[in-house]
Amino acid sequence: MTTVFRRGMTALTAIAIVVLGTIVAGAPASSAAQPTTPSMTNIRTGLNSGFDRIVLDMTGQVQDVVWGFTDELTEDPTGDIVWLTGERFVWVTVIGATMHDQAGNPTYPGPRKFRTRNLSNVMAVATTGDFEATLGIGLGLRNQTWVRVSTLTGPNRVVIDVGH
């Protein structure tokens, strides 16, 4: 029995070595291309019936987006106040996104802040941060109202709707 047991264990060990060797050999090399961080390429605005829309065009799908109302907008990472036209302010943080490519070149050619005279409630938009794969956007509003933030694909974008 002992000889049969040893032969069985030897066979199992040989199979395990072959299988593990195949897995290790099939693993990607460390020089393989790393996934790129999505970056913003454009900000578009539009007036819709009942709401204003801000669209952030992205090169890839983002991880998450969070937002909230604030008394003042601050720049990430400095903490400096971002002066923007408006009575109320909304901050939007796109997690896992930037405004530059992997080489550090800007992917968003537009202004850091701009007025939105064609919209009813959103008075101005500003980029408030591009630090450690965290993209910050600020909105200056006439009135505090409902806000809905979502992500869409085909093409990839972050959509910010603000009620009138």
Side-chain angles (χ1 to χ4, degrees):
M1 272 308 212
T2 315
T3 304
V4 172
F5 179 75
R6 284 187 186 166
R7 285 183 184 164
M9 289 304 291
T10 302
L12 285 175
T13 302
I15 291 170
I17 289 171
V18 169
V19 169
L20 288 175
T22 303
I23 291 172
V24 170
S30 62
S31 63
Q34 297 296 319
T36 59
T37 302
S39 57
M40 184 178 73
T41 58
N42 194 23
I43 300 175
R44 297 180 283 130
T45 64
L47 176 63
N48 292 277
S49 178
F51 63 95
D52 296 337
R53 176 167 281 181
I54 313 306
V55 178
L56 312 177
D57 293 324
M58 307 300 293
T59 60
Q61 208 166 357
V62 299
Q63 295 174 13
D64 196 15
V65 181
V66 293
W67 69 274
F69 290 101
T70 185
D71 292 333
E72 63 185 13
L73 297 167
T74 57
E75 186 178 15
D76 182 26
T78 65
D80 294 341
I81 294 174
V82 175
W83 298 101
L84 196 62
T85 302
E87 295 295 319
R88 302 283 185 253
F89 302 98
V90 174
W91 57 266
V92 178
T93 301
V94 184
I95 299 168
T98 66
M99 288 189 299
H100 62 274
D101 61 18
Q102 287 183 323
N105 301 313
T107 58
Y108 170 63
R112 299 287 293 176
K113 54 184 167 178
F114 59 91
R115 295 286 308 262
T116 54
R117 297 187 198 315
N118 62 323
L119 303 181
S120 292
N121 192 7
V122 178
M123 299 178 73
V125 176
T127 58
T128 59
D130 181 15
F131 185 67
E132 294 183 347
T134 303
L135 173 63
I137 302 293
L139 307 177
L141 309 180
R142 284 184 174 80
N143 304 301
Q144 184 169 324
T145 184
W146 61 266
V147 175
R148 180 176 49 232
V149 179
S150 58
T151 59
L152 300 172
T153 58
N156 294 305
R157 57 207 183 278
V158 174
V159 177
I160 308 162
D161 291 335
V162 180
H164 291 161

